[in-house]
Amino acid sequence: MGGDHGPSVTVPAAIAFVNAEPEAALLLVGREEVIAAELARHKAQNHPRLSIVNATEVVAMDDPLEVAMRKKKDSSMRVAISLVKDGQAAACVSAGNTGALMAVSRYLLKTLPGVDRPAICTILPNQKGGPTYMLDLGANVDCEPQHLHQFALSGSALVAAVEEKPRPTVGLLNVGEEDIKGNDVVKQTAVLLRADHEKGLLNFHGNVEGNDIYQGTTDIVVCDGFVGNVVLKASEGLGRFVKNALTAEFKSSPLNMLGAFIARGAIRSFSRRMNPSQYNGASLLGLRGLVFKSHGGENAYGFECAIRRAFEAARHDVLARISTTIGQWMPQQDNDTGAASRPDQKTTA
Amino acid sequence: MGGDHGPSVTVPAAIAFVNAEPEAALLLVGREEVIAAELARHKAQNHPRLSIVNATEVVAMDDPLEVAMRKKKDSSMRVAISLVKDGQAAACVSAGNTGALMAVSRYLLKTLPGVDRPAICTILPNQKGGPTYMLDLGANVDCEPQHLHQFALSGSALVAAVEEKPRPTVGLLNVGEEDIKGNDVVKQTAVLLRADHEKGLLNFHGNVEGNDIYQGTTDIVVCDGFVGNVVLKASEGLGRFVKNALTAEFKSSPLNMLGAFIARGAIRSFSRRMNPSQYNGASLLGLRGLVFKSHGGENAYGFECAIRRAFEAARHDVLARISTTIGQWMPQQDNDTGAASRPDQKTTA
């Protein structure tokens, strides 16, 4: 039900995804009549791998967290996350309010043992042709070194699982490469990461700078949620600016239009490569369940990419692997919460 | 002498600038024989508005700040800043080590009354066709609300002077527009800026997000040096990535090459518009003297842009105006340092 467009985007995305992925089955959570109508509109009402789970309420973009967490008990967001909690779904994908999604997920699923705070992790393209994983992107605007340390561990476990890179490299986002650079939090984080590197737990590259994100210097870039959010949104803004400027130039004269027409293959391929929709689908990392966030303004293609990201995470058993890794690596803090068995439950779903 | 290329870039830039700007005279500070040879190579050894000021030492990129400040007393950087201090130059432009430039400038020039910490301010292009002024870009990686407040005031004074906008808008970089968003420092800063807005001192727009930088939502974007530095470098990295991807696509087939050739006017105009060199030249704001920093890797065109920025600041009497504005606006802290007369001295230079 979430996002700027609701089922008119999420339902076609779901149909396209199950058609492309024969192993996938999707539960569409929300107002039954709305979803059924949308399915019928696409002649997919009888699709064997698409089913509706009714939820009568919707978390609005401006609902206070309290409302999302405790009042709207039959919201599509809450019902979808409950399905993950109960093992009926391997992962949840939502285009709804990020803050509410994180709050409800934490409330229902809880964090993994050893994780204080879940982080939002997304992928960005880089010059080497691979993705750069970056976290946190806004869940935690004030971070202590141990939080950044946890982000590095859970990010490494994620990349190891999804990208099948046993020792992904981790960079700590800073204002310079040298150890003396940066604020106290970053300097203290570097000490923790270096210690893990020496123990062979993490593959810590050292400090990286803003340009390294798109250069692909490391597989993972760790930063606090304030910096990550600003960098991500600034990149989106710059991308739009560049795209508009290029379009305007190609339309500026008949000759330029002709050239652009002749080179349309290059322009189309460039646009496809730069299309941010393909990187849509951020992971809420550190929870006892897989939850993915789609950008609210995405089109059906973008939402389908977010579903694919969730599907790949479930297929690669990411949750069990992160849980095992963090269990081995982290100084355990809350083993007494009886949490140890949860992740296994989840991945058998 | 500074930057990756030294006089082979700075000298031709200086020649181009004085030739384009009949009111300008430049003092070229550094090793006399090196600069003289470079001038001769460009047949400019007798240019009436280019003169050499000999300085026997050079601050290296890896020199500790201590060396730059106290040991190398005859460095080109230190001599150039001394010329500003003594009123022999209206402004200093350097492509050298940023940390050293800031440290030596603070040491020799001191900060303006009411300013605790100078900031680095640069301009970025935006969708509205105007520049967005952004500060701090790395001088202050740990900021308190009063520092961000000072950045907002000195940035406003700069833009008011250079852009001739009496009430430039100020945005506070945050992870969301709503007042409840962000970390404590940003929230407390917003309170200070809002109070100044109500007094009519500042034109505070409110919180802005990363994408607003390139959208041109406000004339000025204020952030701490950690965030600013990372955003700037990430933007540079993304810009290079996009440029390389576009070039590769246009070279990918004879047909694409033909199209690109026909639309070369558009491509050239786009490249010019996106060329980061034209935005080169960051201001070290809050000092009792005008100091500008050029990117170390710039070519002669970029260094010339930095000289132009310094020239425009001097011509618009920026220092006196910032000093007056801050004197009126800021809660005065160090009026007892006998500093009040310095700025006037400077601008008569």
Side-chain angles (χ1 to χ4, degrees), chain B residues 237-305:
Chain B
L238 180 57
R240 265 195 301 274
F241 175 46
V242 167
K243 191 183 166 189
N244 293 344
L246 192 62
T247 307
E249 293 298 348
F250 280 131
K251 286 185 178 166
S252 64
S253 79
L255 195 63
N256 289 332
M257 285 169 78
L258 174 67
F261 178 74
I262 292 170
R264 65 191 179 281
I267 294 171
R268 209 180 296 135
S269 165
F270 171 76
S271 302
R272 209 181 299 124
R273 216 167 134 189
M274 293 296 145
N275 182 359
S277 294
Q278 67 191 299
Y279 306 105
N280 186 41
S283 165
L284 270 53
L285 216 56
L287 295 164
R288 296 179 195 184
L290 295 176
V291 180
F292 284 77
K293 166 72 173 86
S294 162
H295 207 296
E298 274 299 342
N299 55 21
Y301 171 66
F303 196 76
E304 188 188 337
C305 292

Side-chain angles (χ1 to χ4, degrees), chain A residues 81-148:
Chain A
I81 296 167
S82 301
L83 291 172
V84 172
K85 182 172 192 244
D86 301 341
Q88 294 174 261
C92 161
V93 184
S94 168
N97 180 329
T98 311
L101 186 66
M102 181 57 100
V104 177
S105 298
R106 278 189 78 157
Y107 183 68
L108 293 181
L109 298 172
K110 316 296 180 206
T111 56
L112 286 169
V115 174
D116 294 328
R117 300 187 189 178
I120 301 176
C121 180
T122 198
I123 59 172
L124 293 165
N126 69 44
Q127 297 241 30
K128 292 186 178 163
T132 300
Y133 283 73
M134 185 161 162
L135 74 168
D136 175 40
L137 295 173
N140 309 279
V141 292
D142 266 315
C143 286
E144 297 299 319
Q146 73 268 24
H147 303 132
L148 295 172

